[in-house]
Amino acid sequence: MAPMGIRLSPLGMAVFCLLGLGVLYHLYSGFLAGRFAFFMLSEPAAGGPETPRGSAPAGSVDLRELLAVSVLAAVRGGEEVKRVREGNVLNAKAKGKTREGAEEQLTSGDLLSNRRMFYLLKGAFPAVQINSEEHVDTADQEAVSWDRSIPEDIKQKIQPTEVPAESVTVWIDPLDATQEYTEDLRQYVTTMVCVAVNGKPVIGVIHKPFSAYTAWAMVDGGSNVKARSSYNEKTPRIIVSRSHAGKVEQVARQTFGNKTVIIPAGGAGYKVLALLDVAEKNQEEADVYIHVTYIKKWDICAGNAVLRALGGHMTTLTGEEISYTGSDGNEGGLIASINMNHKALIEKLPDLEKTSHK
């Protein structure tokens, strides 16, 4: 007699196989789904590299981030400026002469501040063009990193704004008022960063190293500084460079009368701050800023951006807007004001434009 056994029909075999497949599906479906999701999330978008969260896409720049790192660069540069001056190790030397024949000074403060500011900005935004007053020695490169943090006051006032990286030019002045710096006239000294987009100044940072005061502003964004409540248009206080105060004084008093006050001062950054509401005991106040000779763009770009953001103006002496592309110099002199009739001021001072090309 044959031994007893279980014989499965073809239909039973099919059912048994389906049950087995069902068990395997439940065991591995979760695992496979997890692996697929991981693959999709870690794969960069087609056609380009992965973009870190919170960063602008490749080929573009977030102006809010650029403002944050510009403020940090001005402060870091200012630390070097202050350290050198307080240590009295300026190592000052002549680097040439201005068009007027005045000797230009170069100090360790200029060079160390420039290195710190340039490499911080370049490391954070390598695709952006950076123009600086001082030469950058690649052999003296410094690794300065930015942790991508944005100060709370900038977060609250400025929205992320992306622009093409190729449209951006950054202007650095690592030590404005070097002559005054060598004379230990510390109140005039600033470090400045300006961001221009398609030649128009849109971000300005002016930092005073010896008082730790920093003014910043972004056009169509916000600022941490404001205009004063009133200005004198009839007999304005005019702030000018120490080196050519007499040239402006003569014409200004012919135009506005003998009561016009001329304030000689050092540093373009300091002069722009004189037009604003700045709570600094060593900061003088003026109604108009006039410069009648050739001036470099890194001296004036940051101040121009701050004034534009606040509704003010900085133009050549004939009223032309200053472009921050191309050459590094401005031939047409400048006149700056805020909450005043800028056009009327220009019309009252027509003779000053002739002096700016000398």
Side-chain angles (χ1 to χ4, degrees):
M1 186 173 181
M4 296 183 62
I6 299 173
R7 300 179 66 182
L8 295 176
S9 68
L11 178 61
M13 288 292 291
V15 171
F16 180 79
C17 289
L18 286 173
L19 287 172
L21 288 173
V23 171
L24 290 173
Y25 172 78
H26 283 290
L27 286 173
Y28 290 101
S29 62
F31 172 77
L32 291 173
R35 294 300 298 169
F36 179 75
F38 174 81
F39 172 78
M40 292 300 291
L41 289 172
S42 59
E43 188 74 5
E50 181 184 358
T51 301
R53 183 178 297 179
S55 299
S60 65
V61 172
D62 180 0
L63 291 180
R64 184 171 75 165
E65 290 187 346
L66 191 45
L67 169 60
V69 77
S70 295
V71 170
L72 181 61
V75 171
R76 292 280 179 84
E79 291 170 355
E80 296 297 315
V81 168
K82 183 179 180 183
R83 182 176 63 81
V84 169
R85 178 65 267 184
E86 292 182 343
N88 200 28
V89 286
L90 275 64
N91 298 317
K93 61 181 180 180
K95 69 173 183 179
K97 291 189 176 182
T98 66
R99 289 189 178 185
E100 296 77 42
E103 195 172 77
E104 287 191 293
Q105 296 287 316
L106 179 68
T107 71
S108 295
D110 295 90
L111 297 175
L112 293 172
S113 174
N114 183 68
R115 184 176 68 176
R116 181 61 59 89
M117 294 174 71
F118 179 87
Y119 285 114
L120 177 56
L121 285 158
K122 198 65 177 175
F125 297 95
V128 166
Q129 171 68 35
I130 301 177
N131 295 336
S132 176
E133 179 174 6
E134 307 304 338
H135 173 71
V136 178
D137 188 352
T138 54
D140 197 26
Q141 185 170 346
E142 180 178 1
V144 186
S145 62
W146 176 47
D147 62 5
R148 309 201 74 82
S149 63
I150 299 176
E152 284 301 318
D153 59 340
I154 293 178
K155 278 185 180 179
Q156 292 172 7
K157 296 179 180 181
I158 307 294
Q159 295 299 315
T161 305
E162 292 175 12
V163 297
E166 62 186 11
S167 70
V168 175
T169 305
V170 177
W171 296 84
I172 298 175
D173 193 341
L175 201 170
D176 189 36
T178 300
Q179 179 61 45
E180 286 73 20
Y181 182 66
T182 63
E183 298 173 21
D184 208 15
L185 299 173
R186 305 182 182 194
Q187 70 271 26
Y188 297 127
V189 175
T190 62
T191 57
M192 296 187 286
V193 180
C194 176
V195 177
V197 178
N198 295 320
K200 296 182 178 181
V202 297
I203 290 174
V205 179
I206 305 174
H207 175 69
K208 301 180 79 171
F210 297 102
S211 64
Y213 173 83
T214 306
W216 60 260
M218 177 172 156
V219 175
D220 297 327
S223 68
N224 71 340
V225 65
K226 62 183 180 179
R228 297 200 309 273
S229 58
S230 63
Y231 295 85
N232 188 338
E233 293 193 53
K234 292 184 178 179
T235 54
R237 294 163 294 179
I238 302 176
I239 194 163
V240 300
S241 291
R242 295 168 69 218
S243 58
H244 57 258
K247 294 179 182 179
V248 182
E249 183 173 3
Q250 183 179 359
V251 177
R253 288 192 170 152
Q254 288 173 357
T255 305
F256 298 107
N258 291 330
K259 291 185 179 180
T260 302
V261 176
I262 302 298
I263 305 172
Y270 177 90
K271 297 185 190 80
V272 168
L273 292 178
L275 305 182
L276 305 176
D277 185 7
V278 175
E280 289 271 303
K281 64 179 183 179
N282 290 327
Q283 178 66 59
E284 296 166 284
E285 292 186 354
D287 302 302
V288 181
Y289 167 27
I290 294 175
H291 189 88
V292 298
T293 59
Y294 175 85
I295 191 168
K296 292 297 183 70
K297 291 178 181 177
W298 42 67
D299 289 320
I300 59 176
C301 186
N304 197 339
V306 170
L307 289 174
R308 281 190 71 218
L310 299 177
H313 302 275
M314 179 184 287
T315 66
T316 66
L317 294 171
T318 56
E320 297 175 359
E321 296 293 334
I322 301 168
S323 174
Y324 293 92
T325 57
S327 70
D328 60 14
N330 172 51
E331 297 278 358
L334 71 84
I335 179 168
S337 69
I338 186 168
N339 291 350
M340 297 178 72
N341 188 333
H342 192 76
K343 184 177 180 181
L345 286 171
I346 293 169
E347 291 172 350
K348 288 179 180 179
L349 299 169
D351 294 333
L352 288 177
E353 196 274 334
K354 299 176 184 178
T355 313
S356 66
H357 297 286
K358 293 182 180 179

